[in-house]
Amino acid sequence: MRFLSGIQPTAKLHIGNYLGAIKLWIEELRNNPDSEAIFFVADYHAITVPHDPTSLKEGIFHIVAAYLAAGLDVKKHTIFVQSQNPDHTEAAWILLTQTPIGWLERMTQYKDKVKKLREEKKSIGTGLLCYPVLMAADILLYDADIVPVGEDQVQHVELTQEIARRINQRYGEIFKIPQYKVRKVGARIKDLADPTKKMSKSSPSYKGVIFLTDDDDTIRKKITRAVTDSEKAIRYDPVKKPGISNLLVILSLATGKEIATLQKEYEGASYARFKQDVADAVIEMIRPLRKKINEYLSDKTYLNKILAEGLEKAKELSSTKLRLLKERLGYPLPKKNQ
Ligand code: AQP
């Protein structure tokens, strides 16, 4: 079984990316010891919104360091940077020609990001509309079985399935149909300052976003100031009590305790005490990660070596699939490749 997923280096990673994605990947690999994984840095996705060229490289290394710090075994699994493998963009062009524009216009992330850019009076690049097709190429080139993601990416994996089915129908069996894997609880960690919204790297304010690089005091401050409600009951009810429910989910994932157990444990407890315990648990979870991320970041030679090895392994798979796709579409392949 092959797992595949990626993260875009739009900013530093937050606990939503960690709990909803990276931690899930590592758990899935532990539960499926015979499986292999390909985790990449989706850096071509990062330029679909305005970006800062001076921090892109550092953002890429930060993600690689986070994958390693979370426990990804590079002897067994593959890490690479998307922009270093041109098979992705080449395949994406072909897939774009096979994708009706209406399928892309109905993507929720596209609509949300367009709305935000319009509000900020920024221009909207065509890449924003087309990037789910690049994501389809990212997945389909590797015959991925499972794509572990947070809830916001499920629609894009479903689109990938639709594109794959359409192409298989038109040109014969080429692509494996991938399945997504999301957490039952914790697939959408909410912003602490506005628990009706997803915690996001590109949030307008970082008051409610806990980054993996935040120090202990900053984490405690953000959790202490998390928006809750006036009911004074620690109960999981995402509709009526989004703030408390979000903190319960975070505490549950950080400690491994069931939400039901936590509810019993905190019966009658004050929000202040509950928040202190959530802060302690998050600090305990992030401290070793942050230390390891910084250690890996201080050894770029090692990171570059891993990326070069990963790229070679990735390229072997993607070039075979791209070649099949081009053959089926009727393209002559250059002689030396035949
Ligand atoms: N709040 C979240 N809760 C759970 N999972 C989340 N993910 C993102 N936010 C949450 C999951 O993290 C993975 C990597 O996401 P991405 O960087 O590729 O893009 P994204 O989904 O758009 O994440 P962000 O943080 O919101 O970034 P920006 O602000 O740049 O768009 C994915 O599996 C995602 O589901």
Side-chain angles (χ1 to χ4, degrees), residues 5-22 24-25 42 45-46 49 63 67 109 113 116 131 135 147-154 156 181-183 186-191 197-203 206 209 246:
S5 204
I7 297 188
Q8 40 174 345
T10 29
K12 296 279 156 73
L13 297 177
H14 51 74
I15 57 166
N17 300 130
Y18 178 65
L19 297 174
I22 302 178
L24 170 70
W25 306 350
H45 291 270
V49 287
I63 290 187
Y67 289 175
Q109 272 229 352
K113 288 192 173 170
K116 189 164 164 259
Y131 93 86
M135 179 166 158
V147 184
V149 283
E151 202 174 76
D152 60 325
Q153 293 297 333
V154 167
H156 292 158
K181 172 92 196 180
V182 280
R183 283 192 187 286
R188 186 181 287 264
I189 301 293
K190 304 290 173 45
D191 189 299
K197 295 211 175 84
K198 172 183 104 109
M199 191 178 283
S200 198
K201 287 192 237 90
S202 51
S203 170
Y206 290 145
V209 181
N246 190 37

Side-chain angles (χ1 to χ4, degrees), residues 155-207:
Q155 198 184 28
H156 292 158
V157 183
E158 285 171 344
L159 177 83
T160 300
Q161 295 170 337
E162 277 184 279
I163 295 173
R165 281 194 200 102
R166 191 178 175 99
I167 293 178
N168 285 349
Q169 212 170 30
R170 285 182 172 170
Y171 303 103
E173 208 65 17
I174 300 172
F175 295 128
K176 193 176 250 187
I177 309 296
Q179 304 302 317
Y180 58 82
K181 172 92 196 180
V182 280
R183 283 192 187 286
K184 285 199 183 83
V185 176
R188 186 181 287 264
I189 301 293
K190 304 290 173 45
D191 189 299
L192 301 179
D194 181 355
T196 60
K197 295 211 175 84
K198 172 183 104 109
M199 191 178 283
S200 198
K201 287 192 237 90
S202 51
S203 170
S205 140
Y206 290 145
K207 279 192 295 194

